[in-house]
Amino acid sequence: LSARASPRRALAQTPDASASASADAAASVTASDLAALAGYVRDDVDDRVVILTSHVSLDDGESLPPVEKTISIRGACGSSNTDACVIDAKSLTRHVVVGAVGSLTLENVVLRNGAAKRFAPPSSDGGAVFVFGAFTATRVAFEDCAANKDGTSKGGCVAVAGGVALFTECAFTNAASADDGGAIHASSGVVEVRRSAFENCAAGGLGGGVAGDSASITLRYCTFDETVTAREEASRDAYVGARGAVYLEPFAIYSDYYGADGALLLDDADAEITGADVGPPEGFSYRAEGAGLVARAGFEPPPPGMGFAPPPPSDLSTQNDAQNATDVDASLAVVANGRVSSVSTGFVAGGVAVAFAFLWMLGRFLSKEQHT
């Protein structure tokens, strides 16, 4: 059995550009160069969809204007208008800052060569994107982005500070941070990453893929290949601080299945210590740890056609370690989460009622015998 399954590549699904285009035709505009794109980001028109039709470069070393409204940017490059469009920062600057009242949605684009400047506001965190507000990325590739201008820079691709970020079917490749969060770092706020791949991401601190301080982070069916690295082996994929939480789906911690040498862990009876038949479901497992909460994410079924998700957990498997069900002789009772099950409760209550009725009748009989 191999130590870990090969990661699935993100961006595997091709968006239905024609359907999307027709739905947004009335509210969309087209940008074919950097000046047009920057202008649409800067103006006061809210809820606008920008269709980017060509690759652009931030050659002057200046980021896109800060996002202080709701705007979507959708890549539609190539002859069929379905290819991802590249926004190249040339390792001169980060791509964009999302302000506290801003909401930015990116779809079908590549953010390449993002590099936060050392004294760039608000900080040198977030190589490609810094988020105060709301950020949604769908089928976005973050390539060759870094936050390493000083020894405390975090979030090689994205830094979140009190905002909300959702990543779906994204790829994080060749990312680096001087401190925590090789690809993503959240000092606070909420981050969820779904069906995404992390490859060759490195953190000088903790969390080679994702790290958080006081944030809530959820990872669903994400893959981290062997080139993801961090200061501590156990936090190569994800790390969370004492006041934060990371939720995993499936809830499979790599060290629960494999030893440091990659061999399957067995107990003294040569049985897999997890009780699983073949280790983690479909090869998904996380090298995750933290001073905060590391727990199972609430189950959420995958989209139609994506058949690699394990079945929903049973009622007992949703309990955490402190609430694990304890099996007692089935003929007596079954205790789960500190409560006697309803079946057992009914059985015991009925038995007690019968016993009281018998004792009451016996008492009446003896009382009559005594008087006679």
Side-chain angles (χ1 to χ4, degrees), residues 25-372:
S28 66
V29 294
T30 300
S32 58
D33 56 35
L34 177 61
L37 176 62
Y40 289 134
V41 174
R42 183 182 297 108
D43 67 27
D44 296 329
V45 179
D46 207 14
D47 284 328
R48 170 175 275 166
V49 177
V50 180
I51 308 299
L52 183 61
T53 59
S54 66
H55 308 307
V56 297
S57 297
L58 308 180
D59 294 318
D60 60 359
E62 296 297 325
S63 304
L64 290 171
V67 175
E68 302 292 351
K69 59 181 182 178
T70 299
I71 186 171
S72 298
I73 300 173
R74 180 177 301 147
C77 285
S79 57
S80 62
N81 292 329
T82 59
D83 294 344
C85 293
V86 177
I87 303 177
D88 193 342
K90 299 293 185 178
S91 298
L92 299 173
T93 184
R94 75 162 57 92
H95 291 80
V96 67
V97 174
V98 182
V101 298
S103 176
L104 172 63
T105 297
L106 296 180
E107 182 178 348
N108 202 39
V109 300
V110 178
L111 299 185
R112 182 175 294 163
N113 294 321
K117 298 177 181 178
R118 184 173 184 180
F119 300 109
S123 73
S124 58
D125 296 345
V129 183
F130 196 105
V131 182
F132 288 114
F135 178 57
T136 301
T138 302
R139 292 184 294 276
V140 173
F142 298 83
E143 299 179 354
D144 303 304
C145 297
N148 54 11
K149 296 302 182 182
D150 59 50
T152 61
S153 299
K154 302 177 180 180
C157 297
V158 180
V160 178
V164 178
L166 172 63
F167 304 87
T168 304
E169 296 170 17
C170 292
F172 301 85
T173 308
N174 300 330
S177 66
D179 202 347
D180 297 345
I184 301 171
H185 179 267
S187 58
S188 58
V190 178
V191 174
E192 181 160 344
V193 189
R194 302 179 174 184
R195 304 184 300 279
S196 298
F198 295 77
E199 301 178 9
N200 197 29
C201 300
L206 303 172
V210 184
D213 296 332
S214 301
S216 173
I217 299 171
T218 302
L219 302 177
R220 297 186 185 275
Y221 303 105
C222 293
T223 57
F224 299 78
D225 75 0
E226 294 297 329
T227 60
V228 176
T229 61
R231 189 178 66 210
E232 295 182 4
E233 173 71 16
S235 72
R236 277 175 49 173
D237 298 344
Y239 175 82
V240 65
R243 295 195 296 171
V246 58
Y247 301 98
L248 307 174
E249 177 64 30
F251 187 61
I253 305 298
Y254 187 86
S255 58
D256 289 344
Y257 293 89
Y258 301 108
D261 59 355
L264 188 66
L265 293 178
L266 304 175
D267 63 17
D268 293 338
D270 288 336
E272 296 179 26
I273 62 170
T274 59
D277 292 331
V278 290
E282 292 292 333
F284 288 95
S285 62
Y286 303 101
R287 285 186 171 94
E289 71 168 359
L293 177 65
V294 179
R296 180 192 301 274
F299 176 76
E300 184 175 296
M306 185 167 289
F308 57 78
S314 65
D315 292 339
L316 294 183
S317 64
T318 61
Q319 309 301 321
N320 61 33
D321 290 338
Q323 300 170 312
N324 280 341
T326 302
D327 293 331
V328 183
D329 185 356
S331 63
L332 299 179
V334 177
V335 179
N337 195 19
R339 300 187 302 272
V340 180
S341 70
S342 59
V343 175
S344 304
T345 303
F347 179 80
V348 173
V352 171
V354 170
F356 273 113
F358 174 76
L359 292 174
W360 179 78
M361 293 176 64
L362 180 61
R364 292 288 301 271
F365 174 77
L366 294 176
S367 177
K368 287 181 180 180
E369 289 292 320
Q370 183 177 7
H371 283 86
T372 57

Side-chain angles (χ1 to χ4, degrees), residues 9-27:
R9 294 306 300 263
L11 306 179
Q13 300 185 11
T14 301
D16 187 345
S18 59
S20 299
S22 60
D24 295 315

